[in-house]
Amino acid sequence: MKLAFWRPEYETGFKPVDEQHKHLFDIINRLHNAMSEGHGNDVLKETLDELIQYTVEHFSMEEKLMREYEYPGYEEHKGVHDQLTKQVKDIAQKFENGERFVTVELSHFLTKWLIHHIKGQDQKMIRFFRENHVFDKEGTLV
Ligand SMILES: [Fe+2]
């Protein structure tokens, strides 16, 4: 069953970011399925690793653009990214060490976090990108 449903209101209008956000929803759904359907630890570990890797890539892309265009909220936004990355890496590490089980609470937490982040910090950043012509009307990077 799907957990993270994409809604039009999450759309920022900047295509690369929207596509990456949708992809993150997709990984969270796969992680959620792996847990709720009781898949083995190897599948969970693989999906968690994929989530971490893709999240790091996605955050780096946003951060690179924020630096390039001297976004005034950079430090704050990066701080939020770093905190989430650390949290998820810690969970994955503990899971690998057998110190912790990963449950559906994690996928619920990630879904809430992502939606909150998109509707808050990301929309704010995208507004700045739009005003500074980082992307055109089609939503493509200029
Ligand atoms: Fe972000």
Side-chain angles (χ1 to χ4, degrees), residues 5-6 12 22 26 32 45 49 56 96 116 121 136:
F5 286 95
W6 181 262
T12 64
K22 281 180 191 164
D26 179 58
H32 184 70
K45 171 84 182 61
D49 286 345
V56 168
E96 213 180 325
H116 178 78
Q121 281 116 348
D136 62 19

Side-chain angles (χ1 to χ4, degrees), residues 1-11 21-22 24-26 28-29 32 107 111-112 114-115 118-119:
M1 207 180 67
K2 242 180 166 182
L3 170 77
F5 286 95
W6 181 262
R7 291 173 185 222
E9 66 191 87
Y10 305 150
E11 212 111 340
H21 284 160
K22 281 180 191 164
L24 281 170
F25 269 61
D26 179 58
I28 293 172
N29 281 323
H32 184 70
S107 48
T111 308
K112 268 193 218 150
L114 187 57
I115 291 171
I118 292 175
K119 287 168 88 175

Side-chain angles (χ1 to χ4, degrees), residues 21 58-59 62 66 77 81 113 117-118 121-122 125:
H21 284 160
H58 167 65
F59 285 171
E62 285 188 0
M66 285 192 269
H77 198 136
H81 283 173
W113 188 93
H117 185 68
I118 292 175
Q121 281 116 348
D122 281 352
M125 168 191 75

Side-chain angles (χ1 to χ4, degrees), residues 21 28 32 45 47 57 59 62 66 71 73 78 89 93-94 97 105 111-112 123 129 132 136:
H21 284 160
I28 293 172
H32 184 70
K45 171 84 182 61
T47 319
E57 269 172 43
F59 285 171
E62 285 188 0
M66 285 192 269
Y71 176 55
K78 186 174 186 322
K89 279 184 176 169
Q93 190 58 56
K94 283 187 178 151
N97 297 343
E105 269 169 48
T111 308
K112 268 193 218 150
Q123 291 286 12
F129 285 171
N132 287 273
D136 62 19

Side-chain angles (χ1 to χ4, degrees), residues 47-59:
T47 319
L48 251 181
D49 286 345
E50 189 188 337
L51 175 75
I52 291 170
Q53 202 198 329
Y54 195 78
T55 303
V56 168
E57 269 172 43
H58 167 65
F59 285 171

